[in-house]
Amino acid sequence: MRARKECGDVPVERIGVGAYTVPADAPEGDGTLAWESTTAVVVEADAGGVRGLGWTYAPAATAEVVRELLAEVVEGRDAFGVPGLNESMCRAVRNAGRPGIASCAISAVDIALWDLKAHLVGLPLADLLGVVCPEVPVYGSGGFTTAPDERLRAQLESWVHGLHIPRVKIKIGQDRGRAVGRDLSRVALAREVIGPGAELYVDANGAYARGQALRVGRELSAYGVEWFEEPVSSDDLAGLRLLRDRLDCDVAAGEYGYDLPYFARMTAAGAVDCLQADATRCGGITEWLRVAALARAQGLQLSAHCAPHVHAHPAAAVPDFRHIEWFHDHARLEPLLFEGEGLLDPSGGSVRPGASGAPGLGLALRRTGAERYRVA
């Protein structure tokens, strides 16, 4: 184990950043968007002879925000003072605008700084943060609206019957809610494939209007759907609350939160049964843990949106944590770009962050393999 450095004597020496675009393995889409590739903006933070790794899923332009606005406020500062560095980055983007790309940039740097700090003290990041739950549940996520039935079937079978993950989610709301019959037939297929014992979730990505979402939600009860994500736009807090009050399944949202006030508004409105947050968007692990505290104060569980190798370690430190989204794109991309003992195995429906004992996230950029995908 690496000897602990004294706080205050380890300045951040360098913030490096690159963007990598990986083609999808098939055309993908949900109720409101379609895509054929995913871009990861990767940050490396150097100090004291070690390197921290962080990333976000955002446009390549995010890398320029890191270079132009954030690197200079972090380099030369104490690597142990991550919350202070996070605050400085938030102040640095005041005129650029915090939500959106700037928040994604802050998130990537913040994650790299937490990974760096864990490397400096020689601990897995989960241990540094304080483990509450050593095993963190995951759910298989994909089931894109663009997928033909045979591909949907194969994906569901691989999660539930291959990896033995007992909870899965598919996309609905096809064509911005104009194909409800198709949505429900895919839900029926999903239940047939996974059987009665697995949990079934759906995600409309805000494709429905309120009345339509209510009608669909009532139909979903016949298939034992337990989780209805973004049945309406996540900005429609009144609509989410209406649906939460009238449906049997849990209503979830929050993945588009870029700062703590967003989540405060959502919880104050009573809009969700489970709050979702994404550390690669909301301001990094620093802000994600604050969202976790807010959820606990409101008696809500927290679920992590995508980026499983980012979320596993902080999730282990949250008492009321529900699950990590084992999202098809990111679960495929992260082993392509990163290597190390920290790569996770979701078999059995949970992961054990830090089990290898490797410091930090236990990952490093796979330089030779990643370079072919580099775009910035």
Side-chain angles (χ1 to χ4, degrees):
M1 183 178 291
R2 183 180 178 83
R4 188 194 187 286
K5 296 285 187 178
E6 291 300 320
C7 293
D9 70 351
V10 187
V12 177
E13 299 159 8
R14 169 186 168 271
I15 295 293
V17 62
Y20 304 85
T21 296
V22 178
D25 54 359
E28 296 175 349
D30 55 37
T32 54
L33 189 68
W35 61 95
E36 295 186 355
S37 65
T38 298
T39 298
V41 176
V42 180
V43 170
E44 294 176 307
D46 296 346
V50 295
R51 173 169 290 167
L53 178 72
W55 64 95
T56 184
Y57 293 102
T62 308
E64 288 306 308
V65 177
V66 174
R67 294 187 184 105
E68 294 182 18
L69 297 178
L70 303 182
E72 64 181 9
V73 303
V74 171
E75 291 172 350
R77 300 271 300 279
D78 178 17
F80 284 94
V82 182
L85 295 174
N86 185 286
E87 180 66 17
S88 294
M89 289 191 288
C90 290
R91 294 179 181 181
V93 302
R94 187 198 70 178
N95 290 351
R98 166 72 189 272
I101 286 178
S103 188
C104 291
I106 292 169
S107 299
V109 178
D110 181 271
I111 294 162
L113 292 170
W114 276 108
D115 188 41
L116 175 65
K117 182 174 180 177
H119 274 84
L120 288 169
V121 300
L123 290 173
L125 181 55
D127 290 350
L128 176 64
L129 296 173
V131 174
V132 176
C133 303
E135 289 197 13
V136 181
V138 303
Y139 68 90
S141 173
F144 303 112
T145 58
T146 50
D149 285 356
E150 59 270 22
R151 183 173 176 84
L152 175 62
R153 180 183 291 274
Q155 191 174 62
L156 292 166
E157 287 177 342
S158 70
W159 289 327
V160 176
H161 305 302
L163 294 173
H164 302 288
I165 299 174
R167 54 196 80 86
V168 295
K169 185 176 80 180
I170 69 169
K171 302 289 191 180
I172 62 172
Q174 184 172 333
D175 300 331
R176 302 193 72 86
R178 298 184 182 94
V180 172
R182 170 70 174 148
D183 292 337
L184 294 176
S185 71
R186 295 176 70 254
V187 172
L189 174 62
R191 175 53 73 192
E192 174 196 329
V193 172
I194 68 176
E199 297 177 25
L200 179 57
Y201 306 159
V202 298
D203 182 0
N205 288 98
Y208 298 129
R210 292 184 191 181
Q212 188 180 31
L214 182 60
R215 292 189 293 274
V216 170
R218 287 171 174 164
E219 294 280 351
L220 294 174
S221 295
Y223 305 102
V225 172
E226 299 182 30
W227 166 287
F228 196 172
E229 184 175 330
E230 290 190 340
V232 296
S233 169
S234 55
D235 293 325
D236 183 7
L237 298 181
L240 289 170
R241 176 60 188 265
L242 180 148
L243 293 164
R244 184 189 181 197
D245 288 342
R246 298 190 184 185
L247 295 177
D248 293 332
C249 56
D250 285 349
V251 172
E255 67 187 67
Y256 298 111
Y258 291 104
D259 54 22
L260 193 60
Y262 172 99
F263 298 98
R265 292 190 294 271
M266 183 167 280
T267 56
V272 295
D273 294 290
C274 184
L275 195 63
Q276 295 176 280
D278 187 333
T280 74
R281 289 177 177 170
C282 74
I285 292 169
T286 298
E287 195 84 329
W288 192 88
L289 291 172
R290 293 168 181 162
V291 176
L294 176 64
R296 184 169 175 83
Q298 297 293 329
L300 298 172
Q301 290 181 310
L302 180 70
S303 178
H305 173 258
C306 296
H309 288 88
V310 165
H311 287 116
H313 287 257
V318 175
D320 297 316
F321 188 74
R322 185 160 176 173
H323 41 42
I324 296 172
E325 183 172 10
W326 194 263
F327 183 54
H328 171 76
D329 285 0
H330 299 176
R332 172 177 168 267
L333 181 148
E334 288 171 4
L336 289 177
L337 295 185
F338 311 125
E339 60 187 354
E341 297 176 75
L343 288 172
L344 301 170
D345 180 1
S347 298
S350 63
V351 293
R352 295 182 60 87
S356 70
L361 297 172
L363 300 173
L365 182 64
R366 191 186 294 273
R367 296 198 175 278
T368 302
E371 196 59 32
R372 61 182 291 201
Y373 301 114
R374 184 160 185 150
V375 294

